[in-house]
């Protein structure tokens, strides 16, 4: 009786400004009509991709800022340490680079609550605020402590932005281009890294230019905050809040009027299937509840992404290129171009070959590239051949990473997470990402000294092969399916 009252209450809350067949009071009839409404989608044409594109592009500004702040201190670090009085202090220099990771971890922990509590648009604006403030503080700093404060503030925005961007792009994109739009996140990150590299070039010739490098980042951050006033809110989030008329209006903006009824019918079907679930998502539910398996898959994918050695390759690439006689600036450009090229190829293939196949071939390619790095350490190879293998392995690793292991997890996880836990589950998985990222960065050089490059790169290659087996056994294909279809298929599994 209590369950019937709760269902009736839930259905009353979901009243709409339009007439939807799922709202019929007779349970059997509502189920039949719901199925009819969902099946009609197969008979309609795809919605126009042009409607949702501007909203996605504004959202990916957060990814551009993420990439920019990851790379903004690489070139100016020497000038920063000299001007702020800690030149030669490797610990202080390391803190300037890595304190963002601590802030990002904190930001990622709160990203789920912020996205669910305030909505996706407001979450983007809250992400931009510490980035603007932190960039100003960093640019004005006259001591190490102030610089670290600014970098930490920026890091909180960096931690908040990626999971919200993944959520938003997944929820506002039509199914047939969702993979392509999801790849925009990785491309924007690459462009941010490259922008930081090019903007940092004059730092050795212009005194105090490093301050300008920080201040310039406030422009895209302000554009993100202001642009979100013009963007659509996630219809899924509005529906969860009981704002049905607003959800309909946003679906109309994103998909076109002819697709609103089908989209809303799918949301109603999911709502009827989940009336017995609590509104609040706890950590214990993520770890031990009915959806714990998809949370395990998501967190493991992010862990394997970092354990593959991608950040170690980025950290060590300058040394590899220097040993080959290539200037570090030019080497960084090669790495950036490889990363961007792989991301563009992934964008083209994502909605054609699917997420799972891209992940498989990406991790296989990364394992082979790491094997080339191992081969380059052989004492039996001529010096020139070893250098070619080392440089080629580095660029091949970055390229194959960008093909799948880089962009796919951030797109796939919001697709397979049910709407009720999507934001909290993404926050949990991104927290795992940042923890593993931190320890890889912290321990890489020490492990390199103690184990040597051959054994360390062999370990990275092994993790890539483990990722291949994990993806093959656990990851489902989501290409071309609506979020509601994916969720229904997962709910149907035992």
């Amino acid at each position: 009786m209590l369950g019937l009252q709760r269902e009736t209450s839930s259905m009353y809350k979901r009243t709409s400004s339009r007439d939807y067949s799922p709202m019929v009071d007779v349970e059997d009839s509502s189920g039949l009509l719901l199925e009819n409404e969902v099946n009609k989608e197969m008979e309609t044409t795809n919605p126009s991709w042009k409607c949702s594109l501007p909203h996605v592009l504004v959202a990916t500004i957060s990814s551009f800022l993420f990439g920019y702040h990851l790379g903004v201190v690489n070139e100016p670090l020497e000038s920063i340490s000299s001007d702020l009085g800690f030149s030669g202090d490797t610990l202080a220099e390391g803190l300037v680079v890595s304190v963002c990771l601590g802030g990002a971890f904190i930001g990622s922990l709160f990203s789920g609550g912020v996205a669910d509590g305030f909505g996706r648009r407001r979450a983007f604006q809250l992400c931009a605020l510490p980035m603007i403030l932190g960039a100003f503080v960093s640019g004005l700093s006259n001591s190490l402590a102030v610089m670290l404060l600014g970098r930490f503030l920026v890091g909180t925005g960096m931690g908040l932005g990626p999971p919200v961007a993944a959520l938003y792009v997944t929820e506002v994109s039509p199914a047939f281009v969702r993979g392509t739009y999801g790849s925009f996140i990785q491309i924007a990150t690459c462009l941010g890294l490259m922008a930081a590299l090019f903007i940092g070039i004059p730092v050795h010739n212009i005194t105090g230019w490093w301050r300008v490098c920080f201040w310039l980042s406030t422009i895209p951050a302000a554009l993100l905050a202001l642009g979100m006033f013009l963007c659509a809110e996630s219809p899924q989030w509005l529906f969860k809040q009981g704002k049905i008329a607003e959800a309909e209006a946003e679906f109309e903006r994103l998909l076109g009027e002819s697709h609103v009824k089908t989209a809303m019918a799918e949301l109603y079907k999911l709502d009827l299937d989940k009336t017995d679930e609590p509104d609040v998502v706890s950590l214990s539910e993520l770890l031990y509840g009915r959806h714990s398996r998809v949370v395990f898959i998501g967190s493991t994918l992010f862990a394997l992404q970092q354990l593959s050695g991608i950040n170690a390759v980025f950290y060590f690439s300058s040394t590899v290129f220097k040993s080959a006689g290539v200037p570090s600036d030019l080497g960084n450009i090669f790495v950036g171009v490889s990363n961007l090229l792989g991301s563009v190829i992934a964008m083209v293939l994502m909605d054609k070959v699917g997420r799972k196949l891209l992940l498989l071939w990406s991790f296989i390619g990364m394992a082979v590239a790491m094997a080339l790095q191992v081969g380059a350490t052989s004492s039996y190879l001529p010096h020139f051949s070893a250098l070619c293998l080392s440089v080629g392995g580095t660029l091949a690793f970055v390229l194959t990473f960008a093909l799948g292991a880089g962009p796919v997890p951030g797109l796939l996880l919001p697709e397979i997470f049910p709407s009720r836990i999507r934001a909290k589950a993404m926050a949990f998985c991104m927290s795992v990402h940042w923890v593993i990222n931190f320890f890889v960065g912290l321990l890489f050089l020490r492990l390199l000294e103690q184990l040597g490059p051959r054994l360390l790169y062999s370990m990275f290659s092994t993790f890539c092969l483990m990722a291949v087996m994990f993806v093959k056994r656990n990851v489902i294909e989501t290409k071309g399916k609506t979020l509601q279809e994916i969720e229904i298929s997962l709910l149907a599994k035992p």
Side-chain angles (χ1 to χ4, degrees), residues 252-269:
E252 188 170 339
R253 290 179 66 187
L254 294 166
L255 305 178
E257 186 177 2
S258 61
H259 296 272
V260 173
K261 196 170 185 179
T262 299
M264 291 299 296
E266 289 184 340
L267 289 180
Y268 276 115
K269 177 170 173 37

Side-chain angles (χ1 to χ4, degrees), residues 27-156:
E27 183 176 297
D28 293 340
S29 298
S30 67
L32 178 62
L33 289 172
L34 274 167
E35 289 295 330
N36 290 338
E37 290 292 344
V38 173
N39 290 336
K40 284 180 183 178
E41 183 179 13
M42 298 300 178
E43 302 172 7
T44 61
T45 58
N46 286 323
S48 172
W49 55 268
K50 297 178 182 178
C51 297
S52 53
L53 180 61
H55 309 272
V56 170
L57 292 178
V58 174
T60 54
I61 296 176
S62 66
S63 302
F64 176 88
L65 286 164
F66 176 80
Y68 185 89
H69 284 293
L70 277 181
V72 71
V73 297
N74 288 354
E75 283 296 320
L77 186 57
E78 184 179 342
S79 298
I80 293 172
S81 61
S82 176
D83 289 353
L84 300 186
F86 57 91
S87 182
D89 187 341
T90 55
L91 177 60
E93 291 178 352
L95 283 173
V96 171
V97 174
S98 62
V99 73
C100 270
L101 300 181
F105 174 70
I106 300 298
S108 65
L109 285 178
F110 289 98
S111 63
V114 170
D116 274 346
F118 297 97
R120 312 321 190 211
R121 289 195 311 168
R122 191 64 57 84
F124 277 117
Q125 293 171 329
L126 292 174
C127 151
L129 184 60
M131 285 191 170
I132 294 172
L133 181 59
F136 266 116
V137 170
S138 298
L140 292 171
S141 60
N142 53 12
S143 67
L144 175 61
V146 177
M147 171 60 71
L148 294 180
L149 173 62
R151 293 287 288 163
F152 181 82
L153 288 172
V154 165
T156 59

Side-chain angles (χ1 to χ4, degrees), residues 324-386:
V326 179
S328 60
D329 290 350
L330 188 58
N332 289 335
I333 292 174
F334 287 156
V335 170
V337 170
S338 298
N339 199 3
L340 181 61
L341 177 62
S343 300
V344 171
I345 295 174
M347 177 188 70
V348 174
L349 296 178
M350 192 76 73
D351 285 312
K352 294 182 179 178
V353 304
R355 287 59 153 156
K356 185 172 183 176
L357 193 60
L358 276 182
L359 269 180
L360 287 171
W361 284 108
S362 175
F363 278 118
I364 291 172
M366 291 160 67
V368 172
M370 272 297 174
L372 293 179
Q373 296 272 43
V374 173
T377 64
S378 173
S379 58
Y380 298 102
L381 284 178
H383 180 67
F384 179 75
S385 299

Side-chain angles (χ1 to χ4, degrees), residues 197-344:
L197 170 67
F198 283 110
I199 290 174
I201 289 176
V203 74
H204 301 295
N205 301 318
I206 303 176
T207 303
W209 181 257
W210 60 269
R211 300 182 187 274
V212 178
C213 295
F214 287 115
W215 290 333
L216 284 175
S217 68
T218 62
I219 297 174
L223 289 175
L224 173 64
L226 296 174
M228 274 296 146
F229 284 113
L230 305 176
C231 289
E233 181 54 270
S234 163
Q236 284 86 351
W237 180 80
L238 290 169
F239 185 84
K240 283 170 61 179
Q241 306 303 307
K243 300 177 180 179
I244 306 305
E246 293 179 38
E248 293 169 356
E250 299 297 37
F251 267 135
E252 188 170 339
R253 290 179 66 187
L254 294 166
L255 305 178
E257 186 177 2
S258 61
H259 296 272
V260 173
K261 196 170 185 179
T262 299
M264 291 299 296
E266 289 184 340
L267 289 180
Y268 276 115
K269 177 170 173 37
L270 284 174
D271 191 50
L272 289 175
D273 289 339
K274 298 183 296 183
T275 53
D276 60 336
E277 294 184 336
D279 292 332
V280 178
V281 180
S282 64
L283 180 60
S284 62
E285 181 183 353
L286 295 180
L287 296 177
Y288 308 111
R290 65 184 298 197
H291 304 299
S292 59
R293 177 167 175 77
V294 289
V295 176
F296 168 74
I297 291 172
S299 54
T300 304
L301 271 181
F302 268 127
L304 289 170
Q305 180 196 64
Q306 295 303 306
L307 291 172
S308 69
I310 181 59
N311 283 314
V313 168
F314 279 131
Y315 298 151
F316 201 53
S317 61
S318 296
T319 304
V320 171
F321 285 108
K322 283 180 181 178
S323 65
V326 179
S328 60
D329 290 350
L330 188 58
N332 289 335
I333 292 174
F334 287 156
V335 170
V337 170
S338 298
N339 199 3
L340 181 61
L341 177 62
S343 300
V344 171

